[in-house]
């Protein structure tokens, strides 16, 4: 029996959705533990692509899917996602889908504040997804947020909203100079959402712990990536939650000793959406090649992703912060036609060499990558189904990642489809009861 956390090691979009969908086959439940619909997780099964923003990526494997207490949930988006999946003949009932009664509700004013502030900041903007994530987490910390438990009780909800809205609308009107929604408008809209979602709202932590007690296997699905973590990422160019594996315990309501393995998802190169420092970023034709071949466009906002070489300073930081026990290397096929590959092994800053990820973004902005060159394989590896059959140069690239990160590669992904994967070690199958 094993409970596994899947965490992004870079700046998100590493291919978590694909790997979670794959691993979910042997899980009993898949749990999201932080973030909201800033996430966009892609799964490709039987030639069809699904992008999920809130519902865990275990839904196509027909597993119990749980939205943990650590999430901020836009009810409108969640309902759209449920309807979209139902249209695709995927069953979603209160038996296989739970929303934590402690999860926070994203309100219209959160979205307005998010986008309004970004506009005011001009070129100092963070480049958020505009989904209201930051402002909703702010309210959670300020203890003025609305949880699902309150949201589904009409009187409790309207009373709380009435109090909160006075302050929000003052800020929206006077500071952001925008038109806020009235109490009546929000109540009318959100009352309908509450009715639809109420049957799914339950004590998620109790449900997860019950499953664990009954020897169920839990897969905890991280969103975003380690370097977007509110504490450990490139602050302030981060999201507003703890994206590291440690967040899984708080955001799902389980104890740390329940976690057996932490798998870090590593794109074979690096991408980033939004603003913020990115030392190994490429501005040349290789960067443009990777962007095009990797189809690096955001699954949530459609923005072009910035691309660069694989950065081991970042990966080693993720190994440390998440306690990674294994790696899943994704999008290895994208590097196919490149003659040589670079791995960033350190940063040059003034006259020193930095190997530990600096806290100060101003320092990071001035860091120059130190590269180690490796030969490419100049071959399409997307049709290979066994590790043994990979070109020697591909194996060497993987071995070098293992050596530098001191972490074993468990999974190799060579295409977006579920079956375009070489699994070397599946911890769900290897940990004895
Ligand atoms: P997530 O947010 O970490 O789940 O990642 P996204 O879904 O936002 O972005 C990853 C993109 O890469 C999606 O379009 C996936 O379908 C695609 N993808 C995942 N793994 C692979 C792979 O091994 N090769 C290729 N070519 N595409 C992949
Ligand atoms: P998945 O789960 C990539 C980025 C945004 C922005 C910053 C803050 O698909 O990997 P926010 O809206 O969260 O306040 O934006 O974080 N960001 C992501 N980048 N993948 C994601 O999720 C992201 N979620 C947020 O682009 O730079
Ligand atoms: Mg994504």
């Amino acid at each position: 029996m094993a409970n596994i956390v899947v965490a992004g090691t870079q700046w998100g979009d590493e291919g978590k959705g694909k790997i979670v969908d794959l691993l979910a086959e042997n899980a009993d439940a898949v749990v999201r533990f932080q973030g909201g619909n800033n996430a966009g997780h892609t799964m490709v099964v039987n030639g069809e692509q699904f992008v999920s923003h809130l519902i865990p990526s275990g839904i196509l494997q027909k597993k119990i899917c749980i939205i943990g207490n650590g999430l901020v949930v836009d009810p409108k988006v969640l309902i759209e996602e449920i309807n979209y999946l139902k249209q695709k003949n995927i069953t979603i009932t209160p038996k296989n889908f739970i929303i934590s009664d402690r999860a926070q509700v994203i309100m219209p004013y959160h979205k307005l504040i998010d986008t309004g502030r970004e506009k005011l900041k001009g070129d100092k903007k963070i480049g958020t997804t505009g989904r209201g994530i930051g402002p909703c987490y702010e309210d959670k910390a300020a203890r003025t947020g609305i949880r699902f438990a309150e949201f589904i009780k009409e009187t409790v909800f309207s009373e709380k909203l009435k109090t909160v809205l006075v302050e929000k609308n003052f800020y929206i009107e006077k500071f952001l100079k925008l038109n806020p929604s009235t109490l009546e408008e929000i109540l009318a809209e959100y009352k309908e959402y509450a009715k639809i979602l109420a049957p799914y709202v339950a004590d998620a932590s109790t449900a997860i712990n019950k499953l664990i007690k009954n020897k169920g296997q839990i897969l905890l699905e991280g969103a975003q990536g380690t370097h977007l973590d509110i504490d450990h990422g490139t602050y302030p160019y981060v999201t507003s939650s703890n994206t590291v594996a440690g967040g899984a315990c708080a955001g799902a309501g389980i104890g740390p000793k329940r976690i057996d393995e932490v798998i870090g998802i590593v794109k074979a190169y690096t991408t980033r959406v939004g603003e913020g420092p990115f030392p190994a970023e490429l501005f040349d034709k290789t960067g443009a090649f990777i962007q095009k071949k990797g189809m690096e466009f955001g699954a949530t906002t459609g923005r072009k992703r910035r691309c660069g070489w694989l950065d081991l300073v970042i990966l080693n930081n993720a190994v440390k912060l998440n306690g990674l026990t294994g790696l899943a290397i994704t999008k290895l096929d994208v590097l196919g036609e490149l003659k040589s590959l670079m791995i960033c092994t350190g940063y040059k800053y003034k006259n020193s060499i930095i190997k530990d990820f600096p806290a100060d973004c101003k320092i990071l902005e001035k860091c120059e990558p130190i590269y180690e060159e490796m030969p490419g394989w100049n071959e399409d590896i997307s049709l290979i189904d066994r590790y043994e059959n990979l070109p020697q140069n591909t194996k060497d690239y993987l071995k070098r990642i293992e050596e530098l990160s001191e972490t074993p590669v468990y999974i190799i992904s060579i295409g977006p489809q579920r079956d375009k994967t070489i699994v070397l070690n599946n911890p769900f199958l290897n940990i004895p009861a």
Side-chain angles (χ1 to χ4, degrees), residues 126 128 227-240 272:
I126 292 167
T128 72
H227 296 86
L228 288 171
D229 183 280
I230 182 81
D231 287 293
H232 302 287
T234 41
Y235 193 89
Y237 301 100
V238 292
T239 191
S240 299
R272 168 161 212 171

Side-chain angles (χ1 to χ4, degrees), residues 13-18 40-42 299 305 331 333 413-416:
D13 302 328
E14 297 91 348
K16 298 174 292 292
K18 169 183 165 163
H41 295 178
T42 316
R305 295 176 184 145
K331 306 195 88 159
D333 53 302
S413 174
I414 46 169

